[in-house]
Amino acid sequence: PFGLLLFPPTENAIPQEDTISNPVEKITLTQALKSLHVTAINLGRHEFLIGARNVFQGDVMEILFMNQIFEAEVLAVTATQIEFFDHKRQESGVLIHGLMRSLTWKPLQKRAAETRLAGKIAPMETITPRKP
């Protein structure tokens, strides 16, 4: 069309400029982890919940983020963050959750004094779970 050959021979080929591609920003594991919504943390069992699914320390999660798949192993579950490592990419990532900082604990006796249950609540011993 327009008087130009569609497949010109190599000796008559029209030189084309090298196309400069825009650099693509590398997506990191930490960016993918920020898309997760942690709903609960259990420090005693080294476990956390994403939605209604529980994930334990040592588990490997597949995370699809921006058309890339991350295979993140849970290394540590702490009161402020969860640490991950992707073995294929050799990349570590951290998900800062902040769930434990928002909790304020009141002693049992002080709570009882603030309500009409004053004098009716007795302190109880903590139960230590049996190990299987």
Side-chain angles (χ1 to χ4, degrees):
F2 308 108
L4 299 173
L5 296 173
L6 292 177
F7 301 103
T10 56
E11 66 250 8
N12 295 335
I14 301 170
Q16 296 183 358
E17 296 180 15
D18 292 337
T19 57
I20 301 173
S21 61
N22 294 334
V24 178
E25 182 179 330
K26 181 183 176 190
I27 299 171
T28 63
L29 178 60
T30 302
Q31 290 173 330
L33 292 171
K34 288 180 182 179
S35 68
L36 301 177
H37 180 68
V38 176
T39 55
I41 299 286
N42 184 345
L43 294 177
R45 293 178 60 188
H46 303 285
E47 158 188 35
F48 60 97
L49 294 177
I50 295 179
R53 185 174 182 186
N54 58 343
V55 181
F56 294 91
Q57 184 173 318
D59 288 351
V60 177
M61 300 172 43
E62 280 191 353
I63 304 168
L64 177 65
F65 182 72
M66 296 185 70
N67 296 327
Q68 293 188 21
I69 297 176
F70 295 86
E71 292 180 1
E73 178 185 1
V74 181
L75 296 179
V77 179
T78 65
T80 57
Q81 66 186 15
I82 305 167
E83 298 172 15
F84 295 86
F85 187 74
D86 190 340
H87 291 280
K88 285 188 177 178
R89 296 173 180 250
Q90 294 297 310
E91 179 181 6
S92 61
V94 174
L95 175 61
I96 299 174
H97 55 75
L99 291 175
M100 300 302 283
R101 286 180 264 157
S102 64
L103 299 177
T104 55
W105 298 95
K106 290 185 179 181
L108 185 63
Q109 296 299 329
K110 186 175 180 180
R111 270 194 315 216
E114 294 174 356
T115 65
R116 60 188 167 101
L117 297 175
K120 296 182 181 179
I121 297 178
M124 296 178 66
E125 294 180 18
T126 58
I127 299 173
T128 56
R130 294 181 188 163
K131 294 185 178 180

